[in-house]
């Protein structure tokens, strides 16, 4: 706009000058003064220069005022300023070891606060889609498998306490997306006495949205006091009505084809308790890492550990199920068979040992445990477990309980592992 104004003022002045000189020339010609001929020639030359200037001004006005348009753009588009590099406020935090470049100070503070509460990156979880597409980690041979059409129905139980809302939503959505509708009987949310506000009405609102699509699909149970992982699983099992009950953590994502391989094994033998293969979701950037197929064993402290099915791990066929001493925590079983062997031990507290107890119970009561590698579940591995900073007391108590109930003369080995006097 400033350029137009300057051009207009100059143009008006020169036009006025041109009119004055032209009037003078006309008046001079009318008087026919021969003695002014030389002066008129000089005036003509000046008028010629004025006309040239006016022509240039006219062309300038006709062209798009590029400089003017540039000046009217916001300053951040006039010149790309170098992005300010914000230093990491928490260089010693596990969350920011490999993640977090480019975040503002406020974003870093929010991310770190959420990380301390939940043990994984809730700040990032809140930004990624609930139905994000995960890579298919199955062995190529699994994709060629054919499963019976008349598979048993499945009830999926999700256990949680003070879990992040976006993580629960993503778990529910992944189960709905990747489980055939005619097989999915229900999803049961067992809340072991959460205290966070967003697991109240916001979660109910999300369930309401799901029910518009699939009425009564989701059940929700809330414990009036914290009862621990084992009792929460019992609650979910008792609420289930499907032929098979799958008991999962809530910080998981079901992947394509996860249910059919488990249901096919249980259909073939209802006494088999099956476990999918976990793929690791990293707690910081939530990317997926493929895990190998391993048996789920345990030591004398009754703490789970991965063991190879064969001495040579690379000789394992990752399309075929393998027998396992125990389960790692996520499993599926015939709902009736679980009742026949006494269900799960509700006397196990907080966390630790309950999966070993289940494995021992199944094997000693005439069943078996298998890992089914064509079924894969993505599972977030926390950096820390916020619901119990020190798990040693509950793990020790639970291990001694399992030893006392099931292991007879071998229980002394568990006592020794925990440095407990034999008497």
């Amino acid at each position: 706009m400033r350029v137009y104004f300057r051009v207009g003022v100059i143009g008006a002045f020169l036009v006025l000058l041109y009119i004055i000189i032209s009037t003078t020339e006309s008046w001079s010609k009318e008087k026919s003064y021969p003695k002014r001929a030389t002066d008129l020639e000089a005036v003509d030359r000046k008028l010629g220069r004025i006309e040239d200037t006016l022509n240039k001004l006219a062309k300038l006005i006709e062209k798009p005022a590029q400089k003017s348009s540039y000046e009217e753009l916001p300053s951040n588009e006039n010149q790309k300023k170098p992005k300010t590099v914000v230093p990491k406020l928490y260089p010693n935090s596990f969350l920011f070891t490999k993640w977090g470049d480019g975040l503002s100070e406020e974003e870093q503070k929010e991310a770190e606060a959420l990380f301390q509460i939940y043990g994984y990156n809730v700040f990032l979880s809140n930004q990624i889609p609930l139905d994000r597409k995960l890579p298919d980690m199955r062995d190529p041979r699994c994709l060629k498998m054919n499963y019976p059409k008349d598979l048993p129905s499945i009830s999926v139980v999700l256990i949680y306490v003070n879990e992040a809302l976006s993580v629960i939503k993503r778990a529910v959505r992944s189960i709905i997306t990747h489980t055939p509708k005619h097989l999915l009987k229900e999803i049961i949310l067992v809340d072991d006495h959460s205290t966070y506000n967003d697991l109240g009405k916001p979660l109910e609102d999300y369930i309401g949205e799901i029910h518009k699509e699939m009425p009564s699909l989701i059940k929700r149970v809330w414990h009036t006091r914290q009862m621990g992982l084992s009792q929460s699983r019992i609650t979910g099992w008792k609420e289930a009505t499907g032929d098979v009950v799958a008991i999962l953590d809530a910080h998981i994502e079901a992947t394509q084809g996860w249910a059919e391989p488990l249901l096919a094994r249980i259909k073939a033998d209802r006494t088999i308790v099956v476990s999918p293969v976990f793929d690791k979701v990293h707690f910081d950037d939530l990317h997926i890492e493929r895990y190998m197929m391993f048996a789920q064993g345990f030591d004398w402290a009754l703490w789970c550990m991965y063991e190879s099915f064969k001495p040579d791990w690379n000789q394992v066929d990752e399309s075929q199920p393998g027998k396992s001493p125990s389960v790692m925590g996520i499993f599926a079983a015939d709902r009736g068979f679980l009742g026949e062997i006494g269900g799960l031990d509700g006397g196990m507290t907080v966390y630790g040992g309950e999966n070993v107890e289940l494995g021992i119970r199944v094997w000693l009561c005439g069943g078996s445990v298998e890992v089914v590698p064509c079924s894969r579940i993505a599972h977030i591995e926390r950096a820390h477990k916020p619901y119990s900073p020190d798990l040693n007391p509950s793990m020790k108590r639970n291990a001694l309980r399992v030893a006392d109930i099931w292991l007879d003369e071998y229980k002394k080995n568990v006592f020794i592992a925990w440095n407990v006097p034999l008497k």
Side-chain angles (χ1 to χ4, degrees):
M1 294 302 293
R2 291 194 295 267
V3 173
Y4 277 118
F5 180 76
R6 290 196 295 267
V7 170
V9 171
I10 295 171
F13 173 77
L14 292 176
V15 168
L16 180 60
L17 181 60
Y18 180 86
I19 293 171
I20 293 171
I21 294 174
S22 298
T23 303
T24 304
E25 178 186 5
S26 176
W27 179 78
S28 299
K29 287 180 179 178
E30 290 174 2
K31 295 294 183 179
S32 300
Y33 288 124
K35 64 177 181 179
R36 299 292 300 272
T38 303
D39 294 336
L40 290 174
E41 290 175 1
V43 169
D44 287 337
R45 287 194 297 271
K46 291 179 181 180
L47 288 174
R49 289 196 296 270
I50 291 172
E51 287 180 357
D52 291 339
T53 303
L54 288 172
N55 289 333
K56 291 178 181 179
L57 287 171
K59 290 179 180 179
L60 178 61
I61 292 172
E62 290 173 359
K63 289 181 180 180
Q66 296 176 354
K67 184 176 180 182
S68 176
S69 299
Y70 179 82
E71 288 178 349
E72 290 177 3
L73 289 174
S75 59
N76 62 340
E77 293 190 32
N78 290 343
Q79 181 178 359
K80 289 185 178 180
K81 296 180 180 179
K83 189 173 182 179
T84 304
V85 178
V86 179
K88 289 186 177 180
L89 301 180
Y90 309 97
N92 297 323
S93 170
F94 290 131
L95 179 63
F96 290 97
T97 302
K98 299 177 182 178
W99 175 86
D101 292 339
L103 295 183
S104 68
E105 289 190 0
E106 287 303 315
E107 290 171 331
Q108 290 185 56
K109 290 177 182 178
E110 181 183 353
E112 177 65 15
L114 291 170
F115 173 63
Q116 292 301 325
I117 292 172
Y118 294 100
Y120 50 74
N121 194 343
V122 177
F123 178 86
L124 180 58
S125 174
N126 293 342
Q127 299 177 45
I128 63 178
L130 296 181
D131 58 348
R132 69 167 176 164
K133 184 174 177 59
L134 298 179
D136 195 334
M137 300 296 189
R138 291 175 293 178
D139 187 284
R141 290 168 289 190
C142 293
L143 305 181
K144 300 177 183 178
M145 296 284 187
N146 293 314
Y147 301 105
K149 292 182 179 180
D150 57 340
L151 292 172
S153 63
I154 186 169
S155 297
V156 181
V157 178
L158 297 178
I159 308 294
Y160 63 91
V161 55
N162 289 334
E163 199 81 69
L165 178 59
S166 61
V167 167
I168 296 176
K169 286 182 176 181
R170 190 171 296 109
V172 170
R173 176 49 60 186
S174 69
I175 292 166
I176 293 173
T177 300
H178 298 303
T179 310
K181 288 186 177 181
H182 69 284
L183 298 179
L184 183 58
K185 180 76 172 181
E186 62 209 347
I187 299 174
I188 302 169
L189 304 180
V190 179
D191 185 331
D192 193 24
H193 195 66
S194 294
T195 55
Y196 295 165
N197 291 333
D198 60 350
L199 296 183
K201 189 175 185 305
L203 180 55
E204 288 291 346
D205 291 343
Y206 181 68
I207 293 173
E209 293 176 13
I210 298 296
H211 284 172
K212 291 177 183 177
E213 177 186 351
M214 290 163 285
S216 303
L217 177 69
I218 300 177
K219 299 179 182 178
R220 187 169 174 235
V221 183
W222 185 73
H223 287 168
T224 56
R225 61 182 177 85
Q226 190 167 328
M227 302 177 72
L229 180 57
S230 187
Q231 185 59 54
S232 297
R233 288 173 172 171
I234 293 172
T235 298
W237 165 62
K238 288 182 176 179
E239 288 288 333
T241 60
D243 301 321
V244 170
V245 58
I247 300 181
L248 316 176
D249 296 332
H251 45 278
I252 59 94
E253 292 170 69
T255 61
Q256 183 67 36
W258 78 278
E260 295 93 318
L262 302 180
L263 297 175
R265 289 301 298 149
I266 294 172
K267 177 180 172 61
D269 183 349
R270 65 185 293 271
T271 68
I272 297 177
V273 174
V274 290
S275 175
V277 172
F278 298 167
D279 288 315
K280 178 180 177 180
V281 178
H282 287 250
F283 67 85
D284 50 0
D285 61 4
L286 303 183
H287 83 272
I288 313 299
E289 177 184 350
R290 188 182 191 275
Y291 267 11
M292 295 285 297
M293 173 187 177
F294 285 103
Q296 297 163 3
F298 52 89
D299 57 15
W300 280 115
L302 304 191
W303 185 246
C304 261
M305 59 179 62
Y306 287 119
E307 296 286 349
S308 177
F309 286 98
K310 294 183 178 179
D312 230 348
W313 63 268
N314 59 357
Q315 297 299 317
V316 175
D317 183 349
E318 289 207 37
S319 66
Q320 296 300 317
K323 297 295 184 183
S324 177
S326 183
V327 297
M328 195 59 81
I330 292 177
F331 65 93
D334 181 277
R335 183 168 57 87
F337 175 70
L338 277 183
E340 292 166 16
I341 64 174
L344 296 90
D345 185 354
M348 308 289 277
T349 60
V350 189
Y351 174 88
E354 69 288 323
N355 46 347
V356 173
E357 192 278 337
L358 176 61
I360 294 174
R361 178 189 295 261
V362 170
W363 279 104
L364 293 182
C365 293
S368 61
V369 179
E370 287 186 359
V371 176
V372 182
C374 288
S375 172
R376 307 190 77 94
I377 294 285
H379 176 266
I380 298 177
E381 293 196 8
R382 299 180 192 262
H384 58 271
K385 291 180 168 52
Y387 49 80
S388 184
D390 184 7
L391 290 172
N392 273 331
S394 62
M395 288 171 56
K396 178 179 179 180
R397 177 196 176 283
N398 291 345
L400 297 178
R401 178 181 174 86
V402 173
D404 200 43
I405 293 173
W406 293 106
L407 297 187
D408 300 329
E409 69 271 22
Y410 296 100
K411 71 179 182 181
K412 64 181 180 181
N413 294 344
V414 180
F415 279 61
I416 292 171
W418 282 101
N419 198 26
V420 175
L422 296 182
K423 292 184 180 181

